[in-house]
Amino acid sequence: SYFIFGGSGLSVRTLFSKLIIYIRVQNINLDIVENNHEGKSTYINCDVRSEIKFDIPVTSEDVIFNFAAVHRTPGHPDQAYFETNIRGAENVCAFAEKFGIKKIVFTSSIAPYGAAEDLKTEETLPTPNTPYGISKLVAEKNTYDLAGKKAEERQLTIVRPGVVFGKGENGNFTRLYWGIRGGKFFYPGRKDTIKACIYVKELVRFMLYRLENHSEGVELYKRTFESAFTIEQIVETMKKATGLQRTIV
């Protein structure tokens, strides 16, 4: 079985469509928002902030995808990020430890690097400056520590994506589109702000690729398009693709 925590979000809808095509396994969506993906998954109500318990059989050969997070920022009280993202990761790790599950894919974020536009390298020290970024970095560490206990047996892939966009996203790109369409968006001082982003299908393909081609230990990837686009490029592309006739100042 594939246990997918936080399985009602954008990336997960795309993930399920890929899993159904390529991998004939039982898909379990564990979330506080009900969604059985049109009958393609089994939904279990699960709040990762509490101990994870349910009646479906679990084996060490099952796979965990951990998408569960409070992520829209700003938009939530500081405590919400820490309670869901940190405690949630702890509880998912405890679940994996209890059943000896070896394969885990954890989605983090580029937010642990902090709000800055300098080029990041493999040596860049994460310096998060938002509750979301801090909570995701700690959640990474919790998951890393679990895998490190039996590195020769466990397979952990941590992915730090940029802003994820795609059909049904209902996040930053969706709000940007409606802002442009409604004449409510304008450039806040500059047009060349860099927005590192990635298309949801590219992200999911990469996660499935690493799941199949990573044998043991811990690996961490930053996933964004190279080179990163500016906000002006994103706005003009969005206008062209949707036929919007708006002058943005």
Side-chain angles (χ1 to χ4, degrees):
S1 298
Y2 278 34
F3 291 100
I4 306 181
F5 293 90
S8 295
L10 166 70
S11 298
V12 192
R13 289 196 296 272
T14 305
L15 174 65
F16 271 116
S17 70
K18 295 293 180 187
L19 292 178
I20 295 304
I21 295 171
Y22 296 117
I23 306 172
R24 302 299 178 184
V25 297
Q26 183 181 27
N27 298 302
I28 315 296
N29 173 19
L30 301 117
D31 205 312
I32 58 174
V33 178
E34 184 169 0
N35 189 340
N36 70 354
H37 301 89
E38 300 177 347
K40 297 174 182 176
S41 69
T42 299
Y43 170 75
I44 296 177
N45 183 275
C46 175
D47 188 337
V48 295
R49 295 171 295 184
S50 304
E51 182 184 357
I52 296 166
K53 295 186 293 186
F54 48 80
D55 295 330
I56 291 181
V58 184
T59 75
S60 62
E61 300 306 310
D62 293 330
V63 176
I64 289 175
F65 286 86
N66 187 5
F67 294 91
V70 170
H71 57 83
R72 182 172 296 180
T73 180
H76 299 278
D78 290 358
Q79 181 181 349
Y81 298 103
F82 297 113
E83 185 176 24
T84 298
N85 300 349
I86 296 177
R87 184 171 296 166
E90 291 174 349
N91 288 329
V92 171
C93 287
F95 171 79
E97 181 79 353
K98 178 179 179 180
F99 293 100
I101 295 175
K102 302 179 182 69
K103 295 186 178 183
I104 303 172
V105 179
F106 176 68
T107 53
S108 183
S109 167
I110 59 171
Y113 288 113
E117 294 184 34
D118 5 338
L119 183 65
K120 305 299 187 294
T121 70
E122 298 303 317
E123 287 71 42
T124 300
L125 180 69
T127 53
N129 52 11
T130 64
Y132 174 61
I134 296 167
S135 67
K136 292 303 281 187
L137 186 61
V138 175
E140 280 184 20
K141 182 66 167 54
N142 290 340
T143 311
Y144 185 97
D145 287 348
L146 168 70
K149 291 178 182 178
K150 296 181 180 178
E152 71 286 353
E153 298 179 11
R154 287 203 169 97
Q155 170 192 327
L156 167 63
T157 298
I158 298 174
V159 183
R160 290 177 178 168
V163 179
V164 180
F165 67 92
K167 183 179 179 181
E169 166 239 337
N170 295 323
N172 290 346
F173 275 56
T174 299
R175 293 197 298 272
L176 175 60
Y177 167 76
W178 286 108
I180 298 169
R181 181 170 174 173
K184 298 176 182 177
F185 174 78
F186 59 91
Y187 293 110
R190 49 183 287 203
K191 299 181 179 181
D192 61 348
T193 301
I194 296 172
K195 301 292 287 184
C197 57
I198 186 167
Y199 182 45
V200 62
K201 288 185 179 181
E202 297 293 337
L203 176 61
V204 168
R205 286 191 190 104
F206 177 78
M207 289 189 292
L208 291 175
Y209 166 72
R210 292 315 305 155
L211 186 65
E212 295 170 0
N213 293 277
H214 174 203
S215 58
E216 64 181 41
V218 180
E219 57 180 17
L220 185 152
Y221 293 95
K222 295 84 169 173
R223 297 300 298 155
T224 66
F225 286 142
E226 176 66 30
S227 301
F229 301 109
T230 66
I231 185 64
E232 183 179 29
Q233 289 174 312
I234 293 170
V235 167
E236 291 304 314
T237 301
M238 194 174 287
K239 286 167 54 180
K240 183 177 179 180
T242 59
L244 287 175
Q245 300 296 319
R246 293 283 188 275
T247 299
I248 312 295
V249 296

